[in-house]
Amino acid sequence: MSEQAQKPVIGITLGDYNGIGPEVILKALHGNQLNKHFTPVVYGSMRVLNRYKHLYDMKDWQLHPAPAADQLNTKMVNVITCFDDSQTNVEPGNVVPEAGQAAYQSLAKAVEDLKAGHLAALVTAPINKYNIQSEEFKFPGHTEYLAEAFSSSEYLMFMVSERLKVGVVTGHVPLGRVRSNINQDAVSRKLTQIIKSLKEDFGIQKPRVAVLSLNPHAGEDGLLGNEEKEVITPVIDQFRKKNHLVYGPFPADGFFGANSWKKFDAILAMYHDQGLMPFKMLAFEDGVNFTAGLPIVRTSPDHGTAYDIAGKNVADPSSMLHALYSALDIVRHRTEWESLEAQGLEHQNSAAMTELPVTDERDPRTETSTRSQERPNKEERPNREDRPNRDERQPREERATREDRPNREDRSNRENRQPREDRRPAASPVATDLPASDPVAEQPLQPKTEEQRTNERPRREDRQNRNNRPQREERQQRPDRRENQNQRPPQEVSADATPSGSEEQRPNERPRREDRQNRNNNPRFQRDERQPRPDRRENQNQRPKPDQEGTPSENREAQVKLLAISQSLLIAKTPPTNAKPDETPEA
């Protein structure tokens, strides 16, 4: 697949060349950055665009003059000249009939290529609805012209952005004729177009739509008008019965003033200024005018020709960029929707088809396999109890065939059989290396009784008693190592103890846990009593502690008194008295 076939081709009409249309087109496409996503082709005039390129200092950027829509350069911005521009004079900000006729011829050529399938979408630059009027163009705007060109009676002027989407029941209609054009059929058709467009063009599966009222304060229960009760509310009730999330009617001033529009995916206004005024206040820079309901994709910036700033290089191309990206997104959403519908239709067709009979030879429903034919019936198979034991079975070669086996009726019943213990065959002799005449070799292996198994297995107390485990040989030699190392001699063995070499006590037997843990009775671990504290203090030339009798609390009081007396003596700066050790200071 070629690169041109992979990327969609989007056509852009020049609009009124004396307005800001050429400026926003060149600024949006400058640098060929958008060619990564689609192939742009401008329907207008190469001479007019080059004039604005020099005016806006874009001389280093080249445009590609394309002779037709099927001869495009995918890496550059293509321009198709749609009118004779040899005598065209560009006058930014001036309203001239030639600019209007050039805008119409550019639009007509783009629609022709759009019908031929050369374009995936169309983005229209702003036109002057006055100077474009002619015998060929007698419409209030692009929307009505495209609706007639593609024979579509159900269309909707849909103002869209990332935050807000607004549709109107009556488009370019004078305010005096708005009421006559609002009826249940018109409101129902516009609601249907909004819900369909939100699903197919924007990928919203369950859209929430708010409907605005016609009269102030939603008519005040008929005080300010009955259109809400007679026209709008019945239509909303019909859509809600069809499980559509449609709410209203809401008064326009309180609805936008309380930011209630953020809770909905789209809003249906009754007339042009009721919906477009708040839309352009909230999303003027990124707003896009999208014509919903047409078989083709058409978007446009949400601003006009802006003659007052034309040619001054101050126009903002944001709305044109969003129009291009919105057209690309809508093309992709429609392609995904069509593929999903095609898959759903194929699934329904496959489910409706009747199942054909299977003709496979191995299918059990049509033909029985050879193995199943050779298999005997369930009644002819022997019971599990009647089958011989594995030890009694004959070799496979000596077994009887199926025809030689007795029937089930000839076999004995389960009640007449011998017990299983009596029917058990004799055990085979144990293979040993003993002579054949030895009675042990000929003795069959008998199963052990529960009592024998119990007696052979050691008791749990014996198995868990760690005191009966033998001592290590290293511990027996520990006294010898200590003598060699000039350590304390081994402890004296009491007279009651058994000599280590006697047969009554094994040398490797480990002492009991009680003996090992009882360290108080072992003189080895007993420490020498410390010397009295007065002796150590005398050696250190310390004053012995006076003998005090009584409770610890009384001793504490005496120490506190001594501390108080010493502090008072220091304060008075008097030398301390040489008290004798045995004298007790007076309180």
Side-chain angles (χ1 to χ4, degrees), residues 204-215:
I204 303 175
Q205 300 300 324
K206 198 69 175 177
R208 296 167 57 91
V209 182
V211 181
L212 301 181
S213 63
L214 176 64
N215 299 303

Side-chain angles (χ1 to χ4, degrees), residues 11-15 17 41-49 65-69 78-86 88 98 101-113 119 122:
I12 307 170
T13 58
L14 185 64
Y17 57 75
V41 50
V42 180
Y43 290 85
S45 170
M46 177 65 76
R47 181 177 179 179
V48 172
L49 292 177
N78 303 271
V79 179
I80 298 178
T81 302
C82 304
F83 56 91
D84 185 11
D85 56 356
S86 58
T88 301
E98 293 80 7
Q101 294 301 316
Y104 166 72
Q105 294 177 13
S106 301
L107 179 61
K109 179 62 175 176
V111 170
E112 179 182 351
D113 291 342
L119 304 179
L122 177 65

Side-chain angles (χ1 to χ4, degrees), residues 188 191-192 235-244 246:
S188 179
L191 265 178
T192 303
V235 175
I236 294 176
D237 295 339
Q238 292 177 6
F239 276 82
R240 291 183 65 86
K241 291 179 181 179
K242 298 178 182 178
N243 297 326
H244 293 293
V246 181

